[in-house]
Amino acid sequence: MGKRIVVALGGNAILTDDPTAQGQQNVLRETAEKLVTLVKQGHQLVIAHGNGPQVGNLLNQQLAANSEKNPALPLDTCVAMTQGSIGYWVQNAMNDILIKENIQKQAVSVVTQCLVNQDDPAFQNPSKPVGPFLTEEEAKAASEKDGAHYKEDAGRGWRKVVPSPKPEEILEYPMVKNLIDNGFITISAGGGGIPVIATEDGYKGVEAVIDKDFAAAKLAEMLNADYFIILTGVDNVYINFGKENQKKLEQVHISELKEYISQNQFAAGSMLPKVQAVIQFLEKRPFAQAVITSLDNLENLLTGTVVSNSSLKAVNQNA
């Protein structure tokens, strides 16, 4: 019997060396060919994706053209725009491969909002870099003008930083579930979803970005997914990475992952949020499974084949 699978695509599954629209679409076609393998195996597929490079590029374009008559759009709108464009690319790539493989299914993208709490501590500590690199003088001038926060970023310059709150709910979840129940492959929660808060007048977009792995984990939880898969640039998660005693993780319990986190084994800007998202999902779905691996290793994962570079599979020990 097929499983319900939520797959979160990392940036390498969308963007490599060619940042043009055609270049990204070419990469996504290769990605779609691998994802369709899951559909051929009879699984229900839900696709989430990142948008970090794309929204950064769009912000640069917005700022470059900013004027009184053509004002730059706010960040939540830029997230929506890149979510729509990438969803459009993924949808078309998937549908092309489905037709080629004579699979009677269709992919569809859903512009997705994520509810966040306006009291989330992240709003008091903006930490997610967005937009172009500036000199310190330019950053100070920009901060005086827009009131935003700017921080030095790894010796490369100063960048605007925005809050990265945790997602509490996927607002379009009922529609996504309905599409899945009716056999559609859905692309949703792209770029972490559009961050919104609840107000007396309805939902309002906020100047923030949501980590796509946490948003995908929340979506997987709400959909009662059997598998939550995070695709990244490596086949395995490692501890003691780069050292003589480096060790890849193949099957672990979430209690072990928490211990590794306390040891600072995972880099804050790369693997840590992926591991935390896996834990978040499994604590809500104790009988499900979560996997971190590469796109190339995806087929081996669900056919039951254990390969020497098999992925990290985290299973809640309380299951």
Side-chain angles (χ1 to χ4, degrees):
M1 182 178 177
K3 303 295 184 181
R4 179 166 292 180
I5 301 174
V6 173
V7 175
L9 299 180
N12 66 302
I14 305 171
L15 177 65
T16 53
D17 298 328
D18 184 354
T20 66
Q22 188 59 55
Q24 294 180 74
Q25 289 175 73
N26 291 341
V27 174
L28 280 169
R29 183 174 181 85
E30 297 174 4
T31 299
E33 288 177 346
K34 293 182 171 64
L35 292 176
V36 166
T37 300
L38 301 179
V39 181
K40 292 167 71 174
Q41 293 171 352
H43 303 297
Q44 293 180 325
L45 179 61
V46 182
I47 303 169
H49 60 79
N51 73 339
Q54 292 83 6
V55 79
N57 290 342
L58 179 57
L59 284 170
N60 288 347
Q61 295 164 10
Q62 291 287 313
L63 292 173
N66 187 34
S67 68
E68 185 175 345
K69 292 185 177 181
N70 185 31
L73 295 172
L75 181 56
D76 60 307
T77 299
C78 290
V79 171
M81 292 169 70
T82 53
Q83 187 185 117
S85 61
I86 296 172
Y88 155 65
W89 293 338
V90 176
Q91 172 181 303
N92 284 350
M94 289 294 296
N95 285 331
D96 287 347
I97 303 301
L98 291 167
I99 292 171
K100 177 183 174 182
E101 298 287 341
N102 197 31
I103 299 173
Q104 302 302 310
K105 285 185 176 293
Q106 188 172 356
V108 61
S109 57
V110 180
V111 175
T112 314
Q113 302 172 93
C114 281
L115 179 66
V116 298
N117 190 331
Q118 59 186 332
D119 295 324
D120 190 303
F123 286 106
Q124 303 305 316
N125 182 33
S127 61
K128 184 71 172 178
V130 297
F133 287 95
L134 305 174
T135 65
E136 185 173 0
E137 291 74 21
E138 288 172 333
K140 288 180 178 179
S143 181
E144 291 175 1
K145 182 178 180 180
D146 62 18
H149 297 271
Y150 290 79
K151 291 184 179 179
E152 197 276 332
D153 187 359
R156 296 175 294 176
W158 289 68
R159 298 178 74 189
K160 180 178 179 179
V161 289
V162 298
S164 185
K166 294 293 190 298
E168 295 197 338
E169 184 180 347
I170 308 296
L171 295 185
E172 285 73 23
Y173 152 75
M175 287 160 276
V176 174
K177 183 179 183 301
N178 186 52
L179 286 166
I180 298 167
D181 289 344
N182 283 280
F184 289 91
I185 298 161
T186 65
I187 301 108
S188 53
I194 304 160
V196 298
I197 58 172
T199 72
E200 292 181 355
D201 298 320
Y203 296 111
K204 176 184 177 182
V206 291
E207 187 87 349
V209 292
I210 301 171
D211 185 281
K212 62 97 173 144
D213 294 318
F214 286 113
K218 175 58 67 174
L219 179 63
E221 170 201 328
M222 295 181 72
L223 290 172
N224 294 322
D226 300 294
Y227 281 90
F228 172 44
I229 302 174
I230 298 177
L231 297 180
T232 186
V234 294
D235 290 337
N236 293 87
V237 176
Y238 288 82
I239 57 173
N240 304 315
F241 184 73
K243 302 178 181 178
E244 289 185 0
N245 60 341
Q246 172 179 295
K247 176 186 175 183
K248 66 181 178 181
L249 302 180
E250 295 180 312
Q251 185 163 341
V252 296
H253 294 298
I254 59 174
S255 59
E256 295 175 86
L257 290 180
K258 291 179 180 179
E259 177 60 27
Y260 292 141
I261 290 174
S262 72
Q263 298 170 9
N264 296 316
Q265 288 282 357
F266 310 120
S270 57
M271 194 55 70
L272 179 60
K274 294 174 174 50
V275 172
Q276 291 174 325
V278 159
I279 293 172
Q280 171 188 303
F281 169 70
L282 289 172
E283 286 184 331
K284 298 293 186 178
R285 290 281 296 153
F287 295 99
Q289 292 181 314
V291 179
I292 301 174
T293 193
S294 69
L295 181 64
D296 290 338
N297 200 40
L298 186 61
E299 183 177 0
N300 291 325
L301 175 71
L302 293 184
T303 56
T305 303
V306 179
V307 297
S308 60
N309 62 348
S310 59
S311 62
L312 179 154
K313 183 180 291 184
V315 183
N316 190 332
Q317 64 182 354
N318 296 320

